[in-house]
Amino acid sequence: MAVPAKRLVALVATLVALSELALWPAVAASHPVAQEVLVKKYQERILKDEEEFVRSGTREDVPLLSDSEAGLALDQPQQVHIALAGPNKMRVTWLTPGGGTPSAVDFGVASGEYTRRAEGESLTYSYLGWRSGHIHHVVLGTDEEPLEDDRVYYYRCGGSGPELSFKTPPPAGPDTPVTYSVIGDLGQTGWSVTTLDHMAASPHDVVILAGDLSYADRYQPRWDSWGRLIQRLAATRPWMVVEGNHEIENVWGLEPEFKAYNARWRMPHNESKSPSNLFYSFEVGGVHWLMLGSYADFGPDSDQYRWLQEDLASVDRARTPWLIAVLHAPWYNSNTAHQREGDAMMAAIEPLLYGARVDLLFAGHVHAYERATRVYKGKPDPCGIMHITIGDGGNREGLASRYLDPQPDWSVRREASFGHGELRILNATSASWTWHRNQDDNAVIADDLEITSLSDPANGATCSAAAAPPGGQKLGRKEKLVVLAAQ
Ligand code: FE
Ligand code: MN
């Protein structure tokens, strides 16, 4: 297959940048400031490739506080976030700058009364000579003693940290109402703060983040500042995330892909029989969520493809009538930014998801909002997946505001504004989707829609008959690398 000239140029530029990087003595990067210089040099090359996109409405990163500036002691827990870890279990993750504090969480259902203690593990990682703090992972709830549904738990990390609290999601069941806050490409700018403020003002049970988290972009202290920024929400409700291209952070020959992401954001892949933290599934209420990896292999011979087939085979629409996918690089995108970057994955995976009658697919990557109708193989299809791009969290790269003209017939609504979405599952068949623009008061709804599940017998009559045979076209490792280099 011929490689487009533009992608080849991007690949060569990346290779040159990386070969320069490899010459830098890693020891020079042991200090955060030295690391920043090193990383900036690399980023300048990357940004040149992105200049073709018109970005607007950029806001600066909120002040990047070091531990000392933030007044945080070596043993004080920080960056607390939680994620579902299988039915009625919650993984609590936090960081202490220093070692020596226990990887333990004390918790209970009454404030100040910690009737239980869960223990876990801690790890550190190095990146171009920089060393992370101690990252603690502890799972609350066991098979014998699971957490209760829809219950507030009070907890403290490390044996002595300040009291925090979270609420577990509502119980499993096809008709359970559950509210999700859906975001993408969040970053840590003034716009990100507005998005977080709006999310905080709307009650939700679970947060879904479709990739591109901190925009650390290899400068590791920015992972820490992002962790501190989101704690006020991420310590109170589970944040279920997938990786975006900004999580890759590899430096060829020196650092592997997803080093910080995998160390800091552990998703329930073991719990969902996935071999990789880059793709997994989980269930809440009546929804089976497929969290897919745009930057993990996805061809028919890949681990992800095989896992997805098995995971889909385990779905019982009587138990979870809703089937929803999340990934980073959109398949249906009429913005000029990141145009066609999801094509290879779509070719490989779309028939599988269409055959399984997936209801919705959330993507990020494009820094704007777009909602498509139900669609399959490029054409509106009443049995197809409804695609929503929600990459408008507010990161430092700004908005992507140029669109293809004419608007494709599958594209219903598109707008380059920052914001967040809310998905309210009302029962087994009905849900409501609203999109909230940051410029407006949170109560203003910029887009809204009632959605009926394909598991609804009314839809089933037309859609259940001819499930598409699973299959797709093969994508070689070489093609995948070219796609990555063009990010
Ligand atoms: Fe992004
Ligand atoms: Mn992206």
Side-chain angles (χ1 to χ4, degrees):
M1 185 185 150
V3 178
K6 208 182 89 191
R7 286 193 172 164
L8 198 59
V9 169
L11 179 63
V12 170
T14 307
L15 284 170
V16 170
L18 287 167
S19 62
E20 280 183 19
L21 251 189
L23 296 176
W24 280 61
V27 67
S30 58
H31 189 273
V33 174
Q35 214 225 352
E36 189 168 26
V37 173
L38 177 74
V39 166
K40 261 194 183 142
K41 196 172 167 58
Y42 181 88
Q43 284 168 350
E44 278 163 15
R45 303 292 186 129
I46 301 288
L47 288 175
K48 269 186 195 158
D49 296 335
E50 294 190 353
E51 272 170 14
E52 60 182 294
F53 307 136
V54 176
R55 310 283 196 184
S56 59
T58 316
R59 278 186 190 169
E60 291 295 306
D61 274 359
V62 291
L64 183 66
L65 296 175
S66 69
D67 294 332
S68 53
E69 286 165 334
L72 295 168
L74 285 177
D75 60 351
Q76 190 177 337
Q78 55 167 286
Q79 304 172 47
V80 185
H81 62 89
I82 63 171
L84 300 168
N88 299 90
K89 293 178 191 170
M90 196 75 82
R91 181 173 282 110
V92 180
T93 298
W94 74 95
L95 184 144
T96 47
T101 61
S103 298
V105 174
D106 301 308
F107 64 106
V109 295
S111 175
E113 289 177 34
Y114 309 119
T115 54
R116 295 172 68 180
R117 166 169 272 214
E119 292 183 354
E121 58 180 21
S122 74
L123 58 96
T124 67
Y125 71 91
S126 65
Y127 187 92
L128 297 175
W130 179 91
R131 184 154 288 279
S132 76
H134 295 254
I135 300 160
H136 306 262
H137 297 286
V138 176
V139 174
L140 312 194
T142 61
D143 290 343
E144 298 72 37
E145 214 179 338
L147 300 180
E148 292 173 48
D149 295 314
D150 218 357
R151 183 99 207 214
V152 174
Y153 283 88
Y154 298 86
Y155 68 106
R156 67 176 186 198
C157 301
S160 60
E163 182 171 270
L164 301 165
S165 68
F166 66 73
K167 189 183 79 63
T168 56
D175 281 307
T176 305
V178 181
T179 301
Y180 300 87
S181 199
V182 186
I183 51 173
D185 304 71
L186 185 59
Q188 44 192 302
T189 72
W191 283 120
S192 321
V193 172
T194 307
T195 301
L196 291 168
D197 287 344
H198 280 193
M199 290 164 67
S202 297
H204 56 269
D205 299 297
V206 178
V207 171
I208 303 291
L209 202 173
D212 282 2
L213 282 62
S214 70
Y215 286 76
D217 296 339
R218 297 182 175 78
Y219 181 54
Q220 298 300 300
R222 215 178 268 131
W223 272 109
D224 293 321
S225 56
W226 191 72
R228 292 192 281 267
L229 179 73
I230 66 165
Q231 177 179 318
R232 64 182 164 120
L233 286 169
T236 66
R237 294 292 182 278
W239 277 42
M240 308 309 288
V241 306
V242 291
E243 75 280 9
N245 52 305
H246 285 265
E247 276 68 67
I248 300 175
E249 296 190 306
N250 64 317
V251 177
W252 287 357
L254 293 174
E255 297 296 355
E257 297 178 345
F258 302 110
K259 198 173 193 181
Y261 175 74
N262 284 333
R264 294 167 183 266
W265 286 83
R266 191 175 290 178
M267 290 295 119
H269 65 279
N270 286 329
E271 295 84 344
S272 55
K273 300 188 174 70
S274 159
S276 166
N277 193 42
L278 302 179
F279 47 90
Y280 64 97
S281 68
F282 69 98
E283 293 184 349
V284 170
V287 184
H288 186 96
W289 288 89
L290 301 164
M291 309 297 279
L292 305 180
S294 290
Y295 306 97
D297 284 332
F298 43 67
D301 295 330
S302 66
D303 283 351
Q304 178 166 215
Y305 192 93
R306 276 190 295 272
W307 165 80
L308 179 59
Q309 281 179 310
E310 283 172 24
D311 194 74
L312 287 172
S314 77
V315 173
D316 174 2
R317 296 297 276 269
R319 193 164 49 88
T320 53
W322 293 90
L323 186 52
I324 306 178
V326 181
L327 49 78
H328 188 61
W331 297 351
Y332 289 89
N333 162 37
S334 72
N335 194 292
T336 59
H338 303 302
Q339 192 46 232
R340 311 206 75 96
E341 282 180 27
D343 280 8
M345 189 184 194
M346 177 164 70
I349 305 280
E350 189 185 31
L352 208 53
L353 298 190
Y354 178 76
R357 295 290 175 254
V358 167
D359 285 302
L360 278 162
L361 187 151
F362 291 108
H365 202 34
V366 175
H367 302 162
Y369 174 72
E370 182 159 23
R371 172 164 62 81
T373 185
R374 288 193 178 280
V375 59
Y376 181 56
K377 287 203 186 285
K379 295 196 183 75
D381 181 327
C383 305
I385 305 166
M386 182 180 294
H387 291 253
I388 294 175
T389 300
I390 189 80
D392 54 349
N395 67 77
R396 66 204 177 118
E397 291 178 349
L399 290 164
S401 47
R402 253 196 264 151
Y403 286 96
L404 299 183
D405 185 30
Q407 188 167 6
D409 54 1
W410 46 259
S411 175
V412 178
R413 179 85 160 80
R414 52 186 193 176
E415 182 180 323
S417 297
F418 292 120
H420 84 283
E422 279 171 36
L423 178 68
R424 290 172 196 277
I425 302 290
L426 305 171
N427 55 42
T429 54
S430 300
S432 87
W433 166 255
T434 54
W435 176 57
H436 303 254
R437 222 192 260 120
N438 278 5
Q439 286 91 331
D440 301 324
D441 182 81
N442 194 37
V444 177
I445 292 167
D447 186 27
D448 74 313
L449 179 78
E450 298 300 314
I451 304 169
T452 308
S453 172
L454 290 179
S455 68
D456 185 340
N459 282 326
T462 43
C463 294
S464 66
Q473 83 193 26
K474 289 198 177 192
L475 182 78
R477 175 72 182 161
K478 204 169 125 201
E479 288 164 82
K480 184 176 162 248
L481 287 176
V482 171
V483 172
L484 282 178
Q487 304 303 307

